[in-house]
Each structure stands twice: as C-alpha cells, then as structure tokens.
Amino acid sequence: MRPRGGGVLRADGVSLEALARRHGTPLFVYSARTVRERLDALRRAFRRREPLVCYAMKANPCRALAAVLAREGAGADIVSGGELARALRAGFDPRRTVFSGVGKTEAEMAAGLRAGLLAFNVESAEELDALARVSGRLGRVAPVSVRLNPDVNARTHPHITTGRAENKFGVETAEALRLYARAARDRRLRVVGVQCHIGSQITQAEPFRRAARALARVVARLQAQGIRLQHADIGGGLGITYKDERPLAPAALARALEETFAPWPEMRLLLEPGRYLVAEAGILLTRVLYRKKTAKRRFIVVDGAMTDLPRPALYGAWHPVEAVRTRPGPRRRADVVGPVCESGDFLARARLLPPLERGDLLAVGKAGAYGFAMSSQYNSRPRSAEVLVDGGRARLARRRETLKDLIAAER
Ligand code: LLP
C-alpha cells in the first residue's frame, strides 16, 4: 500500500480520514492491489517452474483478504482446524492446501482428510501413527509430507526461528527417512512430499539455500529406495523491509530452489509465505487520545494498542508511523503508546513525529501480517474492525467487536 497523496495519506485513492470517521478507530485497512502485486512478484521470480504459493493463513486470516489470494489461484498453508474452516470459506482449493503444525489433533486431521487436502506436513512418529489411524477409520488415504528440521540458522528473531535442532519443529534427516519408510508400507498413508520451514522475517538467501539442499538430500535418498516425491515445500519466511532491512529478493529464493531441484524437473515446488504477501498491504489507523510529557519522555497516547498490533510489544518490532494529515511545525521525539495497563504497550518508541493534537490520526504501516491475527481482547478491549480497499472502493471486511461480543461466550 502506498498511503500517500497531497500531504494527506490515502489508501489506494481512498481517504483514510473518511474511513476512520465511518468505521471508527483503531481500524485495519488492507489493500487488495498490494496483495496481488506481491503474489505476482513472487510468481514472476521463478523462471523455469511455476511454484504453488500456499498462503500462510496465520499471517492474516481475514476472509476478504484471503479471498483475493484464493481468486488468484494461490493455495493455503493452515495450522489448525480453525484455519482449515476459514481457508475453505475464503475459497481456497483444498487440493492446493497443506496442513502444517506440530500438534494437530485427531479431530483436525479428520477434518483435513474429509476436505481432501494436498498434504499433511507431519512432524513426529506419533503424529504419523495418529494420522494413519484416523485415515483408516475414515477409509481414506492421507497424503504425507514430512517436515524436516534442517538445523539451519535463519538468523532472525529467536522467537521466530524454527529450523534449529533445538526447536520443537520438524524431525532430523534420519528420523525423516524412518517416517517415510513407515509411511510407504502403510496403505492408509501416501507419501507425497517433503517440507521445512526455518523461520520468519528471513533476510538472507543462504539459510534458504541450505534448507533447500537439505530437502534435496532427502529426495535423493528416498529416490534410491524407490520412493518418489511429488513436491518439495520450502515453507515461508521471506522477510520484508520494516525499517532498513535489506531482505533477499524473491528471485534469490527462486534461484536457490530451481537450481537445487534441477535434477527433478517433474517435482512441484511449494512455498508457504505469509508476511511477504500481506504485511505491506495493511495499515493500522489509530487516533490520538492525549499527549503527555514527563520529566524523561514525551508520550502520544492513542486508541490502538498492543492488543491490536502486538509485534512491537512482543518482539520489539519497528513499524513505520505517519500522521495522516501532517501539521506544519518542528518534529519532536515521542513514544506512541496505547491504553493497555502494561509498560510494554507501545506501538513505536522514540519516534520523530510532526506536531500532533487530540483527535489526529496516525497510520502504523506494514501491519497487514501478524497484526489483527495476533490481536486479543486483553483489558476487555473489543477487537478492531477491518476494511479492504479494492479498485478504489472500500468495504467493511469485519465489523468492530461490541461489548456484547466480549461476554457472548460466558455462562
Ligand atoms: N509456514 C509455517 C509452517 C509457519 O510456521 C509460518 C510462520 C509460515 C509458513 C509463514 O511464515 P512467514 O512467511 O509469514 O514468515 N508472529 C511472528 C511471526 C510468526 C511466524 C510463525 N510461522 C511475527 O509477527 O513476526
């Protein structure tokens, strides 16, 4: 999203001020155009093969937004029965959908089998046994892809690194080979692929290259045993620029995959991007409630909080913050903080901001991924509304929660 225009921020031509007036704040605004552009960029990066892009629903499960990707022919990557239901509702083809996650329940497996998913990314021997049992019970054959832990350092934030040997995810190569041998003998299971996911917000090509090679070694070993895989799935993790990061270009990832899998031209290559597709498509609109100054600091208290966009509080993440209408005057350094009763409740720290007054609107950028998706009702705050802008028109994708919603499940 390029939220610019004549000194007043707009979203793809739509007035953010009008959206805030109409739907209230805090408000997430998404750009369908940006999502399409990102998907195109990713697909165009591949020269020799057409990858299957499976959108990681966890980044943003908003139906209207996900439906944009489904309509463009993307598949989905899901990690729960909830995401399965929402992926189907958004229009994703189950035959283009993979089921990841270290703790799938048998009920979730059954739902995935009934839907006819492309693959279950299996992460342990016990999970494989459970999957076989469930598919036997349903009279189905479960498509199996083992999640490999390639012990690669993705060199990203420790909370979002997943491909090291000490992480809970995936299995090491020797164990993966044992699982394939076991699956190949079982008529309730069908071996279809190999997968890994080494972390998120990765900015270098090298970890992907190493992970791809680790996957290829498994493909070769299996081939020697007469087991042929239909696909290799490198997972998600492509980083973006929040501040001054210089992430690898999708072309670098494409090259690593195409080169590594050149010996198997018939294999399909899968990706599971979340952030890359949607982060830059979203902003969080929030209104200034109060300004206050202490001996040490200047605070801008806004109506958005860590409950809406937890990334700064959780990971110390940096998101761009701009005034929707810039007032003339000197910029001052301030913390942008929310109303939640925790000192960790900030959206931005020590940021140079133009003069602001009560009621002014701020746009927190790159909030399309892991924003609303991770939002909560902590402090009994109803979750915000979401708006999708498409073709110069805005429509409400999810209404703001009400006080009634807060207690609807209570008995
Ligand atoms: N596939 C699997 C199996 C995953 O676990 C993830 C993300 C993805 C794909 C998508 O990764 P992406 O392309 O979005 O990097 N809440 C954190 C990010 C957690 C990522 C978890 N797994 C954040 O806000 O930075």
Side-chain angles (χ1 to χ4, degrees):
M1 166 143 31
R2 294 174 217 85
R4 282 243 148 258
V8 186
L9 298 189
R10 304 172 76 82
D12 292 351
V14 173
S15 157
L16 291 174
E17 286 177 335
L19 287 179
R21 265 195 310 272
R22 169 128 193 240
H23 301 287
T25 51
L27 178 72
F28 281 92
V29 183
Y30 306 128
S31 154
R33 185 174 80 184
T34 303
V35 174
R36 286 192 200 101
E37 283 171 0
R38 302 293 277 187
L39 179 63
D40 272 1
L42 196 49
R43 285 175 165 164
R44 273 200 318 269
F46 285 75
R47 291 275 161 86
R48 280 169 279 196
R49 343 241 281 220
E50 195 183 313
L52 174 59
V53 177
C54 295
Y55 168 56
M57 285 287 288
K58 65 171 79 67
N60 192 332
C62 174
R63 171 159 74 161
L65 185 77
V68 171
L69 290 162
R71 277 197 296 273
E72 299 292 321
D77 165 48
I78 57 166
V79 292
S80 68
E83 284 190 358
L84 171 61
R86 296 178 84 175
L88 296 176
R89 202 164 157 264
F92 286 107
D93 184 345
R95 289 162 308 175
R96 292 172 157 264
T97 298
V98 296
F99 198 155
S100 301
V102 71
K104 305 172 195 75
T105 65
E106 297 200 3
E108 288 174 323
M109 289 174 181
L113 285 165
R114 284 198 197 93
L117 300 182
L118 172 62
F120 288 83
N121 295 330
V122 170
E123 305 214 17
S124 66
E126 292 195 350
E127 183 194 338
L128 189 66
D129 288 339
L131 185 59
R133 252 193 331 272
V134 176
S135 58
R137 211 186 295 143
L138 295 181
R140 309 236 173 191
V141 178
V144 171
S145 177
V146 174
R147 176 164 176 178
L148 187 72
N149 183 325
D151 195 18
V152 164
N153 186 353
R155 292 183 221 137
T156 176
H157 191 284
H159 291 182
I160 50 177
T161 294
T162 45
R164 301 307 305 275
E166 63 266 30
N167 298 135
K168 69 178 173 184
F169 299 100
V171 297
E172 59 199 10
T173 303
E175 175 74 348
L177 295 172
R178 280 194 290 274
L179 297 188
Y180 281 114
R182 147 103 178 68
R185 284 194 308 267
D186 194 323
R187 270 187 299 191
R188 299 166 297 178
L189 304 171
R190 181 164 44 92
V191 170
V192 294
V194 61
Q195 186 251 7
C196 72
H197 170 76
I198 56 173
S200 198
Q201 182 55 12
I202 298 168
T203 54
Q204 298 170 28
E206 189 52 27
F208 282 119
R209 228 175 281 134
R210 285 171 184 237
R213 281 193 221 118
L215 292 179
R217 281 195 292 275
V218 168
V219 174
R221 294 278 289 275
L222 291 175
Q223 195 172 15
Q225 298 168 26
I227 301 176
R228 283 198 167 265
L229 299 184
Q230 286 157 25
H231 73 246
D233 178 348
I234 193 76
L238 258 183
I240 65 148
T241 304
Y242 283 98
K243 187 183 184 187
D244 48 15
E245 304 91 329
R246 300 176 77 239
L248 67 151
L253 173 61
R255 219 176 304 124
L257 285 172
E258 291 187 322
E259 281 170 15
T260 312
F261 290 95
W264 302 281
E266 71 293 350
M267 276 181 79
R268 179 138 79 147
L269 300 178
L270 267 62
L271 309 170
E272 303 171 356
R275 188 188 321 264
Y276 179 84
L277 294 175
V278 297
E280 309 210 14
I283 59 170
L284 172 64
L285 268 186
T286 181
R287 227 180 251 291
V288 175
L289 293 173
Y290 306 109
R291 301 163 298 177
K292 75 185 259 184
K293 200 165 155 272
T294 66
K296 296 228 154 120
R297 276 184 130 88
R298 203 181 288 276
F299 294 99
I300 307 293
V301 184
V302 297
D303 60 4
M306 65 186 287
T307 46
D308 303 294
L309 180 66
R311 301 193 71 257
L314 271 180
Y315 317 114
W318 190 100
H319 284 259
V321 176
E322 286 183 77
V324 168
R325 185 180 288 273
T326 306
R327 295 174 185 280
R331 298 192 158 240
R332 286 235 171 87
R333 211 168 281 286
D335 287 7
V336 180
V337 301
V340 168
C341 303
E342 301 218 13
S343 295
D345 179 26
F346 62 92
L347 296 175
R349 272 194 166 148
R351 214 53 79 74
L352 268 183
L353 296 167
L356 290 166
E357 288 180 18
R358 292 192 64 197
D360 282 358
L361 280 174
L362 291 177
V364 183
K366 317 219 174 182
Y370 307 111
F372 188 94
M374 291 203 298
S375 65
S376 77
Q377 297 174 329
Y378 182 44
N379 277 204
S380 292
R381 290 168 51 84
R383 273 179 290 232
S384 23
E386 295 173 290
V387 162
L388 181 75
V389 176
D390 196 358
R393 298 207 7 219
R395 85 185 148 91
L396 188 62
R398 182 183 163 113
R399 67 161 171 80
R400 182 175 306 284
E401 287 181 350
T402 62
L403 297 179
K404 241 186 179 163
D405 291 324
L406 286 182
I407 53 167
E410 276 183 350
R411 290 293 176 267

